[in-house]
Amino acid sequence: MDSKVKQNIINEISKTLLDSRPLTVEYRGRALATILPVSDYQEFQTEREEILKNLEKELNGILDLIRSHTQRQSLAEVEAQLAALRQIIEQEMED
């Protein structure tokens, strides 16, 4: 790739990001990557951190429940709650 092509790519990326638009890089009609403006990425990170904090609170609540109420709940009920929360966490980690 010559320097003119590289500079054109850099210019296009810069122009797109300055317009606060994401840029999707495709190859053979398939998306390979998306470049986000910094503000969009920061918003994404903030939302993700909030989701993880809420999941942590829910997990801590379940652990408190296990510690204080295991005599009142069956093991199957506790396991079902833990399995549901685990599935949510795994989905969030994949995103």
Side-chain angles (χ1 to χ4, degrees):
M1 185 180 315
D2 66 19
S3 62
K4 186 176 181 181
V5 172
K6 288 179 186 177
Q7 190 58 49
N8 285 340
I9 292 169
I10 291 169
N11 290 343
E12 190 63 32
I13 290 171
S14 298
K15 183 174 69 172
T16 301
L17 294 178
L18 286 174
D19 291 340
S20 295
R21 294 180 296 150
L23 173 68
T24 300
V25 178
E26 295 183 4
Y27 179 72
R28 294 184 180 177
R30 186 174 173 191
L32 295 177
T34 300
I35 302 170
L36 298 175
V38 172
S39 61
D40 289 358
Y41 178 74
Q42 289 170 334
E43 183 179 327
F44 169 78
Q45 281 297 96
T46 300
E47 289 173 6
R48 183 163 178 82
E49 287 172 11
E50 187 66 29
I51 288 169
L52 291 175
K53 282 181 191 177
N54 289 336
L55 288 172
E56 183 179 22
K57 285 179 187 176
E58 188 174 345
L59 178 60
N60 287 336
I62 291 171
L63 290 173
D64 289 342
L65 178 69
I66 291 169
R67 289 184 191 111
S68 64
H69 294 88
T70 49
Q71 292 114 2
R72 287 187 245 164
Q73 282 191 311
S74 71
L75 183 56
E77 291 171 321
V78 173
E79 287 176 343
Q81 287 178 319
L82 288 173
L85 183 58
R86 180 183 194 142
Q87 184 178 16
I88 293 169
I89 291 170
E90 287 173 352
Q91 287 172 348
E92 287 301 322
M93 298 305 289
E94 289 175 5
D95 293 340

XYZ file of all heavy atoms in Angstrom:
771
model
N 0.855 -1.164 0.000
C 0.000 0.000 0.000
C 0.905 1.233 0.000
O 1.782 1.362 0.846
C -0.889 -0.040 1.251
C -1.897 1.045 1.312
S -2.969 1.032 2.787
C -3.444 -0.635 2.996
N 0.681 2.105 -0.941
C 1.548 3.277 -1.020
C 1.090 4.362 -0.049
O 0.007 4.300 0.538
C 1.641 3.803 -2.455
C 0.325 4.348 -2.993
O -0.579 4.660 -2.187
O 0.206 4.467 -4.225
N 1.921 5.363 0.130
C 1.653 6.396 1.126
C 0.409 7.220 0.786
O -0.288 7.695 1.677
C 2.864 7.308 1.299
O 3.154 7.971 0.087
N 0.099 7.376 -0.503
C -1.093 8.128 -0.889
C -2.359 7.398 -0.447
O -3.296 8.011 0.078
C -1.109 8.346 -2.401
C -2.237 9.231 -2.874
C -2.160 9.493 -4.359
C -3.313 10.403 -4.785
N -3.290 10.667 -6.214
N -2.400 6.089 -0.633
C -3.550 5.296 -0.212
C -3.693 5.352 1.303
O -4.792 5.539 1.836
C -3.422 3.839 -0.704
C -4.512 2.963 -0.097
C -3.469 3.776 -2.223
N -2.569 5.197 2.012
C -2.603 5.274 3.476
C -3.132 6.618 3.941
O -3.958 6.687 4.852
C -1.209 5.034 4.052
C -0.738 3.621 3.959
C 0.657 3.484 4.533
C 1.212 2.094 4.321
N 2.592 1.979 4.818
N -2.664 7.686 3.327
C -3.106 9.021 3.718
C -4.587 9.211 3.434
O -5.309 9.809 4.228
C -2.288 10.105 3.014
C -2.534 11.499 3.561
C -2.234 11.609 5.052
O -1.176 11.193 5.519
N -3.163 12.147 5.805
N -5.073 8.671 2.314
C -6.506 8.751 2.004
C -7.339 8.022 3.058
O -8.397 8.495 3.458
C -6.797 8.187 0.612
C -6.368 9.118 -0.496
O -6.184 10.315 -0.283
N -6.193 8.569 -1.685
N -6.869 6.873 3.489
C -7.570 6.115 4.528
C -7.604 6.915 5.825
O -8.657 7.041 6.470
C -6.917 4.736 4.742
C -7.145 3.853 3.513
C -7.472 4.058 6.002
C -6.341 2.575 3.501
N -6.476 7.452 6.214
C -6.395 8.259 7.438
C -7.320 9.468 7.343
O -8.044 9.795 8.292
C -4.944 8.682 7.726
C -4.122 7.449 8.113
C -4.880 9.750 8.814
C -2.629 7.689 8.153
N -7.324 10.128 6.189
C -8.186 11.298 6.007
C -9.661 10.926 6.122
O -10.448 11.646 6.736
C -7.917 11.962 4.653
C -6.572 12.644 4.590
O -5.940 12.915 5.616
N -6.100 12.922 3.382
N -10.026 9.803 5.521
C -11.428 9.365 5.569
C -11.845 9.017 6.993
O -12.935 9.380 7.445
C -11.642 8.165 4.645
C -13.080 7.789 4.446
C -13.905 8.879 3.777
O -13.377 9.645 2.944
O -15.103 8.973 4.099
N -10.992 8.328 7.716
C -11.283 7.990 9.114
C -11.416 9.272 9.929
O -12.367 9.436 10.699
C -10.183 7.081 9.703
C -10.260 5.693 9.072
C -10.324 6.981 11.226
C -9.090 4.797 9.413
N -10.495 10.188 9.767
C -10.531 11.445 10.520
C -11.800 12.230 10.231
O -12.451 12.740 11.137
C -9.303 12.300 10.189
O -8.123 11.643 10.553
N -12.161 12.338 8.961
C -13.355 13.089 8.571
C -14.603 12.464 9.183
O -15.461 13.161 9.722
C -13.464 13.135 7.046
C -14.640 13.954 6.540
C -14.619 14.103 5.028
C -14.898 12.774 4.376
N -15.075 12.847 2.920
N -14.685 11.164 9.114
C -15.848 10.461 9.646
C -15.951 10.660 11.153
O -17.031 10.957 11.676
C -15.772 8.962 9.316
O -15.714 8.806 7.907
C -16.972 8.215 9.867
N -14.843 10.509 11.856
C -14.869 10.626 13.310
C -15.096 12.069 13.760
O -15.732 12.307 14.785
C -13.595 10.052 13.917
C -13.429 8.536 13.722
C -12.120 8.066 14.299
C -14.592 7.773 14.332
N -14.596 13.033 13.002
C -14.849 14.430 13.344
C -16.329 14.768 13.199
O -16.847 15.643 13.889
C -14.007 15.364 12.469
C -12.520 15.417 12.828
C -11.758 16.257 11.805
C -12.309 15.974 14.233
N -17.012 14.085 12.307
C -18.452 14.274 12.146
C -19.227 13.503 13.215
O -20.454 13.450 13.174
C -18.907 13.792 10.762
C -18.391 14.673 9.639
O -18.024 15.827 9.919
O -18.357 14.198 8.489
N -18.505 12.894 14.159
C -19.105 12.109 15.256
C -19.946 10.955 14.730
O -21.006 10.642 15.247
C -19.929 12.994 16.185
O -19.101 13.905 16.835
N -19.459 10.314 13.677
C -20.123 9.139 13.132
C -19.205 7.937 13.296
O -17.997 8.054 13.120
C -20.418 9.319 11.640
C -21.411 10.405 11.336
C -21.650 10.508 9.841
N -20.401 10.910 9.177
C -20.051 10.572 7.942
N -20.818 9.808 7.224
N -18.916 10.989 7.418
N -19.752 6.787 13.617
C -18.914 5.584 13.635
C -18.519 5.199 12.211
O -19.222 5.505 11.256
C -19.803 4.510 14.251
C -21.155 5.084 14.358
C -21.113 6.538 14.039
N -17.394 4.546 12.096
C -16.902 4.083 10.803
C -16.783 2.567 10.856
O -16.090 2.024 11.719
C -15.535 4.702 10.494
C -14.821 4.179 9.247
C -15.588 4.609 7.999
C -13.404 4.699 9.193
N -17.479 1.891 9.941
C -17.401 0.439 9.884
C -16.468 0.040 8.750
O -16.622 0.490 7.617
C -18.795 -0.176 9.665
O -19.635 0.212 10.749
C -18.730 -1.695 9.601
N -15.499 -0.788 9.078
C -14.550 -1.301 8.095
C -15.079 -2.648 7.622
O -15.339 -3.532 8.424
C -13.145 -1.463 8.725
C -12.173 -2.040 7.717
C -12.648 -0.137 9.292
N -15.241 -2.758 6.309
C -15.778 -3.992 5.733
C -14.767 -4.624 4.783
O -13.937 -3.942 4.197
C -17.072 -3.693 4.970
C -18.199 -3.221 5.857
C -19.488 -3.000 5.095
O -19.533 -3.294 3.886
O -20.447 -2.535 5.716
N -14.885 -5.932 4.670
C -14.070 -6.688 3.723
C -14.960 -7.750 3.112
O -15.584 -8.541 3.832
C -12.866 -7.325 4.437
C -12.001 -8.144 3.520
C -11.199 -7.534 2.568
C -12.002 -9.526 3.611
C -10.404 -8.292 1.726
C -11.202 -10.293 2.773
C -10.412 -9.668 1.826
O -9.623 -10.414 0.986
N -15.085 -7.698 1.794
C -15.939 -8.630 1.059
C -17.369 -8.628 1.584
O -17.990 -9.678 1.783
C -15.357 -10.036 1.090
C -14.049 -10.150 0.357
C -13.550 -11.553 0.328
N -12.284 -11.611 -0.391
C -11.577 -12.698 -0.539
N -11.998 -13.837 -0.017
N -10.440 -12.675 -1.198
N -17.867 -7.436 1.863
C -19.245 -7.288 2.308
C -19.512 -7.669 3.748
O -20.650 -7.712 4.178
N -18.461 -7.926 4.501
C -18.627 -8.342 5.895
C -17.936 -7.342 6.815
O -16.778 -6.963 6.577
C -18.013 -9.724 6.074
C -18.238 -10.304 7.414
C -17.744 -11.720 7.472
N -17.838 -12.200 8.825
C -17.308 -13.309 9.248
N -16.637 -14.069 8.411
N -17.435 -13.678 10.486
N -18.629 -6.897 7.850
C -18.064 -5.937 8.793
C -16.921 -6.595 9.574
O -17.076 -7.684 10.124
C -19.124 -5.428 9.748
N -15.772 -5.936 9.588
C -14.617 -6.438 10.334
C -14.426 -5.690 11.646
O -14.024 -6.272 12.642
C -13.343 -6.294 9.499
C -13.258 -7.109 8.229
C -11.962 -6.795 7.492
C -13.333 -8.593 8.546
N -14.687 -4.388 11.612
C -14.482 -3.565 12.804
C -15.295 -2.292 12.673
O -15.635 -1.863 11.576
C -13.006 -3.215 12.953
N -15.595 -1.706 13.815
C -16.245 -0.399 13.840
C -15.405 0.516 14.703
O -15.050 0.173 15.829
C -17.677 -0.499 14.393
O -18.428 -1.376 13.549
C -18.348 0.854 14.430
N -15.091 1.666 14.147
C -14.316 2.676 14.870
C -15.299 3.719 15.366
O -16.055 4.296 14.590
C -13.260 3.313 13.956
C -12.321 2.232 13.407
C -12.480 4.391 14.709
C -11.405 2.713 12.306
N -15.311 3.924 16.694
C -16.246 4.859 17.301
C -15.555 6.167 17.662
O -14.385 6.158 18.056
C -16.812 4.272 18.599
C -17.607 2.993 18.505
C -17.969 2.509 19.909
C -18.859 3.193 17.698
N -16.287 7.268 17.596
C -15.753 8.499 18.164
C -15.533 8.281 19.664
O -16.235 7.481 20.296
C -16.854 9.533 17.916
C -17.676 8.964 16.800
C -17.585 7.475 16.955
N -14.585 8.997 20.228
C -14.238 8.807 21.639
C -15.460 8.998 22.531
O -15.676 8.228 23.473
C -13.092 9.768 22.050
C -12.860 9.721 23.541
C -11.821 9.417 21.297
N -16.291 9.988 22.247
C -17.465 10.237 23.094
C -18.425 9.040 23.083
O -18.985 8.681 24.121
C -18.183 11.511 22.655
O -18.630 11.385 21.314
N -18.611 8.420 21.935
C -19.468 7.236 21.854
C -18.874 6.080 22.644
O -19.587 5.349 23.339
C -19.673 6.799 20.406
C -20.556 7.734 19.609
O -21.062 8.724 20.185
O -20.737 7.486 18.403
N -17.566 5.905 22.526
C -16.905 4.819 23.246
C -17.013 5.034 24.756
O -17.298 4.097 25.501
C -15.437 4.706 22.837
C -14.708 3.640 23.597
C -14.929 2.295 23.315
C -13.825 3.966 24.618
C -14.276 1.307 24.027
C -13.173 2.984 25.332
C -13.398 1.651 25.036
O -12.760 0.676 25.757
N -16.818 6.277 25.203
C -16.917 6.571 26.629
C -18.325 6.309 27.143
O -18.507 5.767 28.235
C -16.499 8.017 26.906
C -15.018 8.235 26.732
C -14.614 9.707 26.766
O -15.413 10.586 26.459
N -13.370 9.965 27.136
N -19.330 6.658 26.347
C -20.719 6.393 26.724
C -20.968 4.890 26.819
O -21.599 4.406 27.761
C -21.658 7.020 25.701
C -23.122 6.871 26.028
C -24.012 7.529 24.990
O -23.626 8.553 24.412
O -25.107 6.984 24.763
N -20.440 4.151 25.856
C -20.562 2.698 25.860
C -19.925 2.105 27.117
O -20.516 1.248 27.788
C -19.904 2.120 24.602
C -19.736 0.633 24.621
C -20.808 -0.202 24.360
C -18.495 0.074 24.900
C -20.647 -1.580 24.378
C -18.328 -1.301 24.910
C -19.407 -2.127 24.657
N -18.730 2.563 27.451
C -18.028 2.062 28.629
C -18.802 2.382 29.905
O -18.893 1.546 30.803
C -16.618 2.650 28.711
C -15.620 1.983 27.801
C -15.420 0.529 28.156
O -16.034 -0.351 27.567
N -14.572 0.264 29.102
N -19.343 3.590 29.996
C -20.109 3.986 31.174
C -21.337 3.097 31.340
O -21.629 2.633 32.446
C -20.532 5.470 31.061
O -19.356 6.276 30.961
C -21.356 5.913 32.254
N -22.041 2.848 30.248
C -23.222 1.972 30.299
C -22.830 0.560 30.716
O -23.517 -0.071 31.516
C -23.924 1.945 28.949
C -24.631 3.229 28.597
C -25.183 3.254 27.180
O -25.127 2.218 26.478
O -25.668 4.318 26.770
N -21.739 0.066 30.153
C -21.286 -1.291 30.485
C -20.905 -1.401 31.963
O -21.248 -2.371 32.629
C -20.113 -1.670 29.590
C -19.637 -3.087 29.812
C -18.784 -3.521 28.636
N -18.268 -4.838 28.832
C -18.942 -5.957 28.587
N -20.167 -5.891 28.138
N -18.401 -7.135 28.782
N -20.200 -0.396 32.471
C -19.818 -0.400 33.891
C -21.050 -0.378 34.781
O -21.090 -1.069 35.805
C -18.912 0.789 34.189
C -17.511 0.629 33.628
C -16.672 1.891 33.758
O -17.088 2.840 34.463
O -15.587 1.924 33.141
N -22.063 0.384 34.395
C -23.305 0.445 35.168
C -24.000 -0.916 35.175
O -24.484 -1.372 36.210
C -24.234 1.517 34.593
C -25.462 1.767 35.422
C -25.171 2.362 36.787
O -24.165 3.070 36.945
O -25.967 2.094 37.711
N -24.046 -1.566 34.032
C -24.651 -2.902 33.949
C -23.900 -3.874 34.861
O -24.515 -4.634 35.614
C -24.653 -3.408 32.493
C -25.678 -2.628 31.674
C -24.930 -4.910 32.420
C -25.578 -2.854 30.173
N -22.579 -3.840 34.807
C -21.785 -4.759 35.639
C -21.957 -4.456 37.122
O -22.026 -5.375 37.947
C -20.317 -4.702 35.227
C -20.013 -5.294 33.851
C -18.544 -5.083 33.484
C -20.374 -6.769 33.785
N -22.057 -3.165 37.497
C -22.304 -2.809 38.902
C -23.645 -3.359 39.367
O -23.762 -3.885 40.472
C -22.287 -1.284 39.083
C -20.925 -0.677 39.132
C -21.046 0.826 39.345
C -19.720 1.518 39.134
N -19.843 2.984 39.270
N -24.670 -3.218 38.513
C -25.997 -3.731 38.868
C -25.986 -5.247 39.010
O -26.626 -5.799 39.911
C -27.043 -3.290 37.844
C -27.347 -1.813 37.928
O -27.156 -1.178 38.968
N -27.808 -1.249 36.836
N -25.267 -5.923 38.128
C -25.157 -7.384 38.232
C -24.424 -7.784 39.510
O -24.799 -8.767 40.160
C -24.453 -7.952 37.002
C -25.260 -7.929 35.712
C -24.381 -8.330 34.528
C -26.478 -8.825 35.807
N -23.408 -7.018 39.866
C -22.683 -7.307 41.106
C -23.596 -7.135 42.319
O -23.583 -7.960 43.238
C -21.460 -6.392 41.229
C -20.627 -6.681 42.462
C -19.404 -5.780 42.569
O -19.403 -4.689 41.969
O -18.469 -6.176 43.271
N -24.419 -6.080 42.309
C -25.372 -5.869 43.405
C -26.353 -7.030 43.488
O -26.659 -7.518 44.581
C -26.144 -4.560 43.200
C -25.362 -3.320 43.490
C -26.217 -2.084 43.242
C -25.401 -0.814 43.364
N -26.205 0.384 43.034
N -26.836 -7.467 42.333
C -27.780 -8.580 42.321
C -27.121 -9.857 42.827
O -27.710 -10.608 43.606
C -28.336 -8.788 40.910
C -29.463 -9.791 40.859
C -30.111 -9.889 39.496
O -29.901 -9.003 38.647
O -30.829 -10.878 39.274
N -25.887 -10.100 42.401
C -25.168 -11.272 42.873
C -24.959 -11.214 44.382
O -25.171 -12.209 45.083
C -23.820 -11.398 42.158
C -22.933 -12.559 42.588
C -23.632 -13.892 42.367
C -21.613 -12.517 41.846
N -24.565 -10.044 44.884
C -24.388 -9.899 46.329
C -25.695 -10.128 47.069
O -25.709 -10.721 48.156
C -23.803 -8.526 46.660
C -22.340 -8.426 46.288
O -21.637 -9.432 46.201
N -21.881 -7.216 46.029
N -26.798 -9.681 46.481
C -28.101 -9.923 47.087
C -28.419 -11.403 47.152
O -28.953 -11.895 48.151
N -28.100 -12.100 46.082
C -28.334 -13.547 46.075
C -27.447 -14.246 47.093
O -27.890 -15.152 47.810
C -28.142 -14.126 44.659
C -29.259 -13.626 43.746
C -28.130 -15.656 44.681
C -29.064 -13.960 42.284
N -26.200 -13.804 47.174
C -25.307 -14.405 48.183
C -25.822 -14.146 49.598
O -25.766 -15.032 50.455
C -23.890 -13.860 48.012
C -23.147 -14.317 46.760
C -21.821 -13.576 46.626
C -22.932 -15.814 46.773
N -26.323 -12.933 49.855
C -26.910 -12.643 51.165
C -28.116 -13.541 51.418
O -28.311 -14.032 52.532
C -27.330 -11.173 51.254
C -26.151 -10.227 51.341
O -25.032 -10.685 51.669
O -26.343 -9.018 51.065
N -28.914 -13.733 50.371
C -30.073 -14.606 50.482
C -29.647 -16.025 50.834
O -30.232 -16.663 51.717
C -30.851 -14.605 49.163
C -32.072 -15.509 49.072
C -33.183 -14.981 49.967
C -32.535 -15.599 47.636
N -28.629 -16.488 50.169
C -28.130 -17.845 50.443
C -27.666 -17.957 51.881
O -27.989 -18.925 52.579
C -26.985 -18.206 49.469
C -27.539 -18.375 48.056
C -26.269 -19.486 49.918
C -26.466 -18.472 46.996
N -26.925 -16.936 52.324
C -26.391 -16.980 53.688
C -27.487 -16.937 54.748
O -27.379 -17.563 55.792
C -25.436 -15.817 53.890
C -24.142 -15.967 53.146
C -23.181 -14.818 53.447
N -22.053 -14.830 52.532
C -21.838 -13.914 51.588
N -22.637 -12.879 51.460
N -20.803 -14.018 50.802
N -28.537 -16.172 54.494
C -29.526 -15.950 55.556
C -30.806 -16.781 55.422
O -31.542 -16.906 56.384
C -29.894 -14.469 55.611
O -30.529 -14.069 54.418
N -31.073 -17.333 54.256
C -32.353 -17.996 54.059
C -32.249 -19.406 53.494
O -33.234 -19.925 52.976
C -33.237 -17.164 53.112
C -33.636 -15.854 53.681
N -32.874 -14.727 53.545
C -34.708 -15.491 54.415
C -33.463 -13.718 54.144
N -34.579 -14.153 54.679
N -31.112 -19.996 53.560
C -31.015 -21.325 52.944
C -31.916 -22.338 53.630
O -32.312 -23.329 53.012
C -29.565 -21.841 52.926
O -28.998 -21.689 54.223
C -28.756 -21.132 51.889
N -32.274 -22.087 54.884
C -33.186 -23.026 55.540
C -34.602 -22.894 54.985
O -35.378 -23.840 55.019
C -33.224 -22.784 57.056
C -31.932 -23.127 57.744
C -31.262 -21.886 58.311
O -31.783 -20.790 58.217
N -30.097 -22.063 58.889
N -34.959 -21.710 54.448
C -36.316 -21.479 53.960
C -36.465 -21.758 52.468
O -37.575 -21.838 51.977
C -36.734 -20.036 54.241
C -37.012 -19.806 55.706
C -37.567 -18.432 55.909
N -36.598 -17.675 56.687
C -36.574 -16.381 56.813
N -37.465 -15.648 56.193
N -35.671 -15.792 57.541
N -35.368 -21.859 51.748
C -35.438 -22.127 50.316
C -34.790 -23.467 50.022
O -33.815 -23.851 50.664
C -34.699 -21.060 49.518
C -35.468 -19.777 49.359
C -34.795 -18.893 48.345
O -33.600 -18.675 48.425
N -35.558 -18.390 47.393
N -35.329 -24.104 49.032
C -34.723 -25.370 48.633
C -33.442 -25.080 47.850
O -33.270 -23.992 47.290
C -35.683 -26.176 47.763
O -35.803 -25.569 46.489
N -32.588 -26.040 47.817
C -31.353 -25.918 47.052
C -31.667 -25.688 45.570
O -30.990 -24.905 44.907
C -30.488 -27.169 47.231
C -29.129 -27.166 46.560
C -28.289 -25.973 47.004
C -28.402 -28.469 46.819
N -32.722 -26.303 45.079
C -33.112 -26.130 43.672
C -33.480 -24.679 43.375
O -33.132 -24.144 42.312
C -34.279 -27.052 43.338
N -34.165 -24.014 44.301
C -34.530 -22.606 44.103
C -33.288 -21.720 44.065
O -33.167 -20.830 43.221
C -35.479 -22.140 45.217
C -36.856 -22.767 45.148
C -37.697 -22.463 46.373
O -37.153 -22.461 47.505
O -38.898 -22.222 46.196
N -32.371 -21.948 44.968
C -31.132 -21.167 45.009
C -30.327 -21.408 43.733
O -29.828 -20.462 43.110
C -30.301 -21.522 46.261
C -28.939 -20.845 46.217
C -31.052 -21.122 47.531
N -30.211 -22.669 43.320
C -29.474 -22.994 42.104
C -30.114 -22.354 40.874
O -29.416 -21.879 39.986
C -29.385 -24.508 41.920
C -28.430 -25.175 42.888
C -28.422 -26.694 42.760
O -29.368 -27.266 42.154
O -27.484 -27.303 43.275
N -31.433 -22.295 40.806
C -32.125 -21.679 39.673
C -31.821 -20.188 39.597
O -31.565 -19.649 38.514
C -33.629 -21.915 39.783
N -31.818 -19.507 40.739
C -31.492 -18.087 40.757
C -30.049 -17.845 40.321
O -29.762 -16.940 39.539
C -31.714 -17.495 42.148
C -33.176 -17.340 42.500
C -33.350 -16.795 43.906
O -32.642 -17.188 44.830
N -34.306 -15.902 44.064
N -29.154 -18.669 40.806
C -27.742 -18.530 40.443
C -27.522 -18.825 38.957
O -26.751 -18.133 38.292
C -26.874 -19.458 41.297
C -26.728 -19.047 42.758
C -26.001 -20.146 43.527
C -25.978 -17.732 42.877
N -28.197 -19.818 38.429
C -28.057 -20.160 37.010
C -28.562 -19.025 36.129
O -27.938 -18.681 35.114
C -28.798 -21.452 36.696
N -29.672 -18.397 36.515
C -30.220 -17.282 35.738
C -29.256 -16.101 35.743
O -29.009 -15.477 34.710
C -31.579 -16.874 36.293
N -28.708 -15.793 36.895
C -27.761 -14.687 36.987
C -26.481 -14.993 36.220
O -25.937 -14.128 35.534
C -27.438 -14.375 38.448
C -26.517 -13.185 38.678
C -27.101 -11.911 38.059
C -26.250 -12.975 40.153
N -26.030 -16.210 36.291
C -24.823 -16.592 35.542
C -25.019 -16.397 34.042
O -24.138 -15.916 33.343
C -24.449 -18.036 35.847
C -23.225 -18.489 35.115
C -22.918 -19.936 35.379
N -21.581 -20.192 34.919
C -20.721 -20.975 35.511
N -21.058 -21.606 36.599
N -19.530 -21.155 35.017
N -26.186 -16.766 33.547
C -26.476 -16.611 32.127
C -26.447 -15.132 31.728
O -25.884 -14.776 30.698
C -27.833 -17.225 31.797
C -28.160 -17.189 30.324
C -29.485 -17.858 30.021
O -30.298 -18.099 30.916
N -29.717 -18.162 28.771
N -27.007 -14.269 32.551
C -26.985 -12.829 32.270
C -25.559 -12.317 32.248
O -25.164 -11.576 31.343
C -27.830 -12.060 33.314
C -29.311 -12.411 33.162
C -27.616 -10.559 33.188
C -30.176 -11.918 34.299
N -24.756 -12.706 33.212
C -23.364 -12.261 33.281
C -22.594 -12.743 32.064
O -21.837 -11.973 31.448
C -22.701 -12.749 34.592
C -23.325 -12.009 35.790
C -21.180 -12.537 34.550
C -22.920 -12.562 37.135
N -22.785 -13.990 31.673
C -22.077 -14.509 30.504
C -22.467 -13.761 29.230
O -21.618 -13.462 28.391
C -22.344 -16.005 30.356
C -21.622 -16.838 31.397
C -22.002 -18.310 31.367
O -22.949 -18.695 30.643
O -21.335 -19.084 32.097
N -23.743 -13.408 29.094
C -24.184 -12.655 27.938
C -23.537 -11.262 27.926
O -23.105 -10.774 26.892
C -25.716 -12.503 27.930
C -26.423 -13.789 27.589
C -27.935 -13.675 27.770
O -28.436 -12.716 28.349
N -28.654 -14.666 27.277
N -23.457 -10.630 29.083
C -22.844 -9.297 29.167
C -21.352 -9.354 28.854
O -20.810 -8.455 28.222
C -23.055 -8.695 30.555
C -24.457 -8.239 30.816
C -24.927 -7.191 29.839
O -24.131 -6.313 29.456
O -26.117 -7.247 29.455
N -20.705 -10.406 29.277
C -19.274 -10.542 29.041
C -18.979 -10.778 27.554
O -17.928 -10.413 27.072
C -18.682 -11.654 29.898
C -18.797 -11.417 31.386
S -18.107 -9.845 31.928
C -16.384 -10.169 31.728
N -19.929 -11.411 26.834
C -19.757 -11.653 25.400
C -19.923 -10.380 24.589
O -19.364 -10.254 23.529
C -20.749 -12.714 24.924
C -20.426 -14.097 25.420
C -21.499 -15.115 25.019
O -22.433 -14.753 24.289
O -21.381 -16.263 25.455
N -20.749 -9.433 25.072
C -21.018 -8.189 24.334
C -19.859 -7.260 24.325
O -18.928 -7.140 24.803
C -22.231 -7.453 24.916
C -23.502 -8.251 24.674
O -23.513 -9.106 23.793
O -24.481 -7.978 25.374
